[in-house]
Amino acid sequence: MAELTGFSEFQADSGSVNFQVGKDKAGKSDGSCRGVTVVLAVTAIVALAALVLAILTVTRGQPEFIFNTSSGNRSNINSQSVSDVNSGASVSYRTPDDEDRIWTFAVGHSGKSLEYIDETGGLSGFHIDIVNAVCMIANKNCRTMFMPYINCWDSQAGHWPRIGVGLADRWFDACTGWFVTYDRLRTVDFTHAFRKGYYAYFYVEAGNPGNFNWRNITGKKIAIGDGWASDEYCIKRNDDKITGIVLTGNQFVHYVTAADAEQAVLNGEVDAAFMNTNQFYNTSLIPVSDEITNCMKDGGAMMFRKDTRLSNWWNPAFDRLKESSQYRQICETADRNHGHMPGEIRCVD
């Protein structure tokens, strides 16, 4: 083996590291030393790749930080800002759900002043007015979309009520104006209520020709609105004063519309209907029971999936609306703007 007479130096980023590399007297590198140099170069490349991979792993999934250097930037209700004392810029934490996006709200056609398809074919009503006002205050890009109610909430006689396929599968972000109930809260969540709830009654044909006794419904058939807050489970909640309740079988018959339920009573298909006062706002049937007050836990609100952050911006914006005169103006002008449609609008205090 040739005699080693010299040194070669390898400079690393973390400091100067000297490696002895032998040369023969002729100044040529030994072959084995060249191999050492190659191994060191490969090792350095692998180390650098590992460092890059570690940085990507640590930063992956971290929240986005947005630097706002101008006071004219659009405010973000979901952001939490801190000050950079050196530059005077603000640093805002923003979750992925806060990205600029279009929020979609399902609205049905109740044929009442709350929501309906107007003469132009568009959606109108108190609910549309509320959505427009809240989204404007929150500076959000919102759209309403027509959707049959069954896609928001569904129920079938003899089965527990459940979330509609549209809301479950994210066809839209929320359903507009749905009452907060104990059954619904097991599955979905709600914003602050923007209209009051209603009491429910048992309704029968005028004069009560069947002598219906609401305190004992043994063997009786009761009409229920499909997917509505005043359902058979609300009746069951009052079994301390109502006897003969059988949730299984055919005691309760579901109808899609209030008109269908009313017609079923008049035709003798059922003995009575159990509805809230807004559903039977204009009916030939008469209430024959005490008011049932515990079908609803709260009034009409936006109903949304539990994994959605809608309430993070909606609730602060609606609270601002309610504290202003605009909310009262919407309520007071509802009769003028939508009074040609039936139904009662009861704004929150």
Side-chain angles (χ1 to χ4, degrees):
M1 182 175 179
E3 181 182 352
L4 300 178
T5 61
F7 295 90
S8 177
E9 185 175 76
F10 175 79
Q11 186 75 25
D13 290 340
S14 59
S16 180
V17 181
N18 294 324
F19 297 94
Q20 289 185 350
V21 180
K23 296 181 181 179
D24 59 18
K25 292 182 179 180
K28 296 179 180 179
S29 299
D30 187 282
S32 63
C33 294
R34 286 196 302 270
V36 171
T37 302
V38 171
V39 170
L40 291 175
V42 171
T43 302
I45 293 173
V46 171
L48 180 60
L51 178 61
V52 172
L53 180 61
I55 293 174
L56 291 176
T57 302
V58 170
T59 57
R60 183 178 300 164
Q62 294 297 309
E64 178 185 3
F65 287 85
I66 303 158
F67 290 83
N68 300 319
T69 57
S70 170
S71 60
N73 284 347
R74 178 169 65 86
S75 62
N76 191 323
I77 290 178
N78 289 331
S79 298
Q80 297 175 341
S81 298
V82 295
S83 296
D84 185 332
V85 296
N86 295 323
S87 65
S90 65
V91 184
S92 298
Y93 169 81
R94 191 167 73 180
T95 61
D97 203 30
D98 302 325
E99 297 290 344
D100 291 337
R101 54 169 289 185
I102 296 177
W103 291 84
T104 53
F105 302 114
V107 177
H109 173 66
S110 66
K112 295 183 174 65
S113 55
L114 290 172
E115 51 190 33
Y116 59 92
I117 298 176
D118 60 26
E119 62 277 3
T120 69
L123 291 168
S124 295
F126 173 77
H127 286 165
I128 307 299
D129 298 338
I130 291 294
V131 169
N132 290 339
V134 172
C135 289
M136 181 173 294
I137 290 175
N139 199 16
K140 297 294 182 179
N141 193 359
C142 302
R143 299 289 187 275
T144 55
M145 55 189 298
F146 173 75
M147 188 63 55
Y149 295 120
I150 194 174
N151 290 312
C152 284
W153 191 258
D154 188 21
S155 66
Q156 297 177 4
H159 299 276
W160 286 102
R162 57 193 178 275
I163 187 173
V165 63
L167 186 56
D169 287 352
R170 305 175 191 274
W171 297 356
F172 38 81
D173 293 301
C175 298
T176 308
W178 286 71
F179 293 120
V180 183
T181 70
Y182 301 92
D183 294 323
R184 291 170 183 168
L185 283 172
R186 287 195 300 266
T187 308
V188 296
D189 209 344
F190 295 84
T191 63
H192 294 168
F194 43 79
R195 65 185 179 98
K196 293 181 179 179
Y198 299 89
Y199 297 149
Y201 295 87
F202 286 92
Y203 288 84
V204 298
E205 187 177 353
N208 194 10
N211 197 27
F212 176 79
N213 177 12
W214 69 276
R215 292 190 178 276
N216 184 359
I217 61 174
T218 302
K220 302 297 183 181
K221 284 191 174 184
I222 309 298
I224 298 290
D226 190 67
W228 296 349
S230 49
D231 60 6
E232 60 265 45
Y233 296 98
C234 178
I235 297 177
K236 181 64 176 177
R237 202 173 295 123
N238 292 274
D239 59 5
D240 58 329
K241 52 188 174 185
I242 304 173
T243 61
I245 304 170
V246 181
L247 293 178
T248 58
N250 59 358
Q251 182 175 39
F252 298 99
V253 183
H254 284 219
Y255 295 90
V256 175
T257 69
D260 293 338
E262 178 181 14
Q263 197 60 43
V265 173
L266 296 175
N267 292 342
E269 297 175 16
V270 296
D271 298 285
F274 184 69
M275 300 281 169
N276 68 57
T277 54
N278 189 52
Q279 292 166 324
F280 271 10
Y281 179 75
N282 184 19
T283 177
S284 63
L285 305 183
I286 61 170
V288 292
S289 66
D290 293 346
E291 58 188 24
I292 306 299
T293 62
N294 59 354
C295 288
M296 303 174 189
K297 193 172 186 298
D298 203 352
M302 294 307 240
M303 182 173 71
F304 57 94
R305 292 170 53 97
K306 289 180 179 289
D307 58 357
T308 301
R309 295 185 177 93
L310 172 66
S311 60
N312 287 8
W313 64 264
W314 177 282
N315 285 345
F318 174 71
D319 289 345
R320 288 174 57 192
L321 174 66
K322 191 172 66 170
E323 292 168 0
S324 71
S325 61
Q326 187 180 1
Y327 178 68
R328 286 299 151 196
Q329 290 174 358
I330 293 174
C331 296
E332 291 169 1
T333 60
D335 285 341
R336 181 175 72 247
N337 296 334
H338 313 295
H340 60 289
M341 302 297 292
E344 177 188 18
I345 297 174
R346 302 174 65 222
C347 289
V348 297
D349 297 327

